[in-house]
Amino acid sequence: MMKLIFVLLSAMLCMSATSVNAFAPSLPATPVRSATPQFTAPSAPMSTTTSTTLFGKKAARAAGNARKGKSERVKKVKDDVIEVEATVIESLPNAMFRCTIDGAPETQEPVLATISGKIRKFFVKILVGDKVTIELSPYDLTRGRITFRKR
């Protein structure tokens, strides 16, 4: 017991001799005037509620989590494509499909469409008779990319 008291007293003596303020808040490069620890009160009252601001990846994840429960489809707007609704009439090899555009005259030839990368990645099955959304290039209106399959 005496050893413990001796160790504590010697530690306090060392702290006071080296002017180390272990329990005082860190202050910007001002010399310490006394050897005893000084406790200072904060100049502005601290509020208990803080606003959290997210940056970078965390902000993107928070936006994604807020979107999870919603049923509408969120996607970027592209200027150089024409989006049309179509119906698959024939399945071809290499993930190619012949599709007729809804509302188009019967004399218009079908569009040859391939599936987009996201549909290919998530193994979405497209069958004959499915309603799909197709993106057409303004340069070639006979070819397109299937970007969405209606349920």
Side-chain angles (χ1 to χ4, degrees):
M1 184 70 178
M2 290 300 278
K3 284 185 178 182
L4 179 65
I5 294 173
F6 179 71
V7 170
L8 288 175
L9 284 176
S10 62
M12 289 183 67
L13 181 64
C14 288
M15 283 179 37
S16 65
T18 57
S19 71
V20 174
N21 293 333
F23 300 107
S26 61
L27 299 173
T30 57
V32 177
R33 297 177 198 258
S34 69
T36 60
Q38 297 176 359
F39 295 101
T40 59
S43 60
M46 307 231 359
S47 64
T48 56
T49 59
T50 59
S51 64
T52 305
T53 306
L54 300 175
F55 298 101
K57 278 186 183 177
K58 289 187 178 182
R61 285 185 184 149
N65 289 337
R67 228 180 26 235
K68 261 186 184 169
K70 296 182 181 175
S71 61
E72 72 264 5
R73 186 170 157 225
V74 178
K75 74 180 240 192
K76 291 185 198 173
V77 177
K78 294 184 180 177
D79 298 342
D80 58 342
V81 296
I82 303 164
E83 269 196 348
V84 293
E85 305 294 320
T87 305
V88 177
I89 57 170
E90 184 181 358
S91 177
L92 301 169
N94 297 331
M96 300 286 278
F97 299 92
R98 282 206 200 283
C99 304
T100 57
I101 297 174
D102 296 343
E106 293 293 324
T107 57
Q108 183 179 357
E109 62 185 38
V111 175
L112 184 64
T114 185
I115 59 177
S116 69
K118 290 280 187 177
I119 293 180
R120 196 181 300 260
K121 177 182 175 183
F122 293 113
F123 298 104
V124 174
K125 303 297 180 202
I126 298 175
L127 304 172
V128 174
D130 285 346
K131 301 279 186 189
V132 293
T133 302
I134 296 180
E135 289 182 354
L136 298 174
S137 167
Y139 304 108
D140 186 7
L141 297 175
T142 61
R143 295 177 136 292
R145 179 186 312 119
I146 298 175
T147 57
F148 188 71
R149 176 182 167 256
K150 303 281 190 283
R151 295 189 173 136

